[in-house]
Amino acid sequence: MTKLKYANGNKPLTEEEKQKMIASAAKHYGKYMDALKIDWKNDPNSSDTPMRVAKAFVNDLATGCYSEGPKITAFDNVNGYDGMVFQGNITVHSFCSHHHLPFVGVANVAYIPSEDGKIIGLSKLNRIVEFYARRPQVQENLTMQIHSHIDRVCEENIGVAVMLQADHMCACVRGVKHDSTMKTSKLSGEFMRDASKSREEFYSFIGDLK
């Protein structure tokens, strides 16, 4: 089984391949706990932990790494809609590549279709966010990946905007140990023009959600 080039990469696996990987990962995680001098085998609350961790990683936390991307059908913009399409407060559950600790927050995304371009179903924006979030990740890269995917599937759009805000456990349970929220954004097209009304509208929509 070839390795992912990067921690946040993607390589779809069959169910059989996943089960084989889970068994191998559980074995190695047991050795990791042994190295930490944890007597997990004799602890009834920890005796199945290596298998639980491996299953959680493959089937949930990092499932995006081992699954196909969301199937998205783009539709013709038959009525020539030229306003913003916005979806806010999309739940983000991910975990950082550096310490494998969770970061949790929301994504706010938008695009502006051209009269001759394509539009997609609203739920697909949620699916795009979920697919890229479910992997070891840094928030900056997650923001870029979501933007690139929306830009690609919403053909001939005239602008895409993505803004993420999340709380990172690696910041509040280790090191300096502070409570803080990280915000990242990636805007393109109409959203990046000087004195852009579209950019103002995007951020006002986010503000209205609070």
Side-chain angles (χ1 to χ4, degrees):
M1 215 180 295
T2 58
K3 292 184 179 179
L4 297 172
K5 183 177 181 181
Y6 298 110
N8 66 353
N10 179 249
K11 180 178 174 53
L13 300 176
T14 65
E15 195 58 36
E16 182 180 356
E17 288 173 324
K18 288 180 183 179
Q19 293 306 315
K20 181 179 179 181
M21 185 167 61
I22 288 170
S24 176
K27 179 179 179 181
H28 287 288
Y29 198 84
K31 292 179 179 179
Y32 167 75
M33 294 180 71
D34 287 336
L36 295 178
K37 307 300 183 186
I38 297 173
D39 188 15
W40 60 274
K41 294 177 183 176
N42 293 313
D43 179 355
N45 291 314
S46 300
S47 59
D48 290 328
T49 293
M51 181 58 70
R52 289 193 188 103
V53 170
K55 285 182 177 179
F57 195 98
V58 175
N59 296 329
D60 189 19
L61 301 176
T63 186
C65 289
Y66 312 115
S67 305
E68 297 282 358
K71 296 185 186 303
I72 296 176
T73 300
F75 303 93
D76 291 335
N77 187 10
V78 293
N79 292 318
Y81 176 76
D82 60 0
M84 185 190 306
V85 178
F86 174 89
Q87 181 81 327
N89 278 346
I90 302 171
T91 301
V92 170
H93 291 135
S94 193
F95 64 110
C96 74
S97 300
H98 298 158
H99 301 99
H100 280 194
L101 290 171
F103 64 90
V104 178
V106 296
N108 300 285
V109 303
Y111 69 95
I112 304 173
S114 64
E115 292 186 5
D116 298 323
K118 301 285 187 177
I119 59 174
I120 63 174
L122 196 59
S123 68
K124 300 304 186 289
L125 295 172
N126 300 60
R127 292 179 184 277
I128 292 169
V129 171
E130 175 76 358
F131 174 68
Y132 287 107
R134 291 294 183 168
R135 64 193 68 227
Q137 186 67 272
V138 296
Q139 187 173 323
E140 297 90 333
N141 289 353
L142 175 56
T143 305
M144 296 292 289
Q145 288 179 319
I146 294 169
H147 178 280
S148 295
H149 199 112
I150 295 172
D151 186 49
R152 185 167 63 252
V153 297
C154 297
E155 299 173 24
E156 299 182 50
N157 70 79
I158 59 174
V160 174
V162 177
M163 197 275 272
L164 268 63
Q165 57 186 72
D167 297 330
H168 292 245
M169 294 302 102
C170 61
C172 68
V173 302
R174 56 165 299 281
V176 179
K177 300 181 181 67
H178 57 83
D179 294 326
S180 60
T181 298
M182 181 179 183
K183 293 186 178 182
T184 51
S185 65
K186 170 61 179 176
L187 286 72
S188 61
E190 288 291 324
F191 293 101
M192 286 299 290
R193 293 186 181 276
D194 291 340
S196 169
K197 291 184 178 180
S198 296
R199 183 168 65 246
E200 291 180 10
E201 185 179 21
F202 175 64
Y203 286 118
S204 72
F205 280 2
I206 294 173
D208 290 341
L209 295 171
K210 299 176 181 178

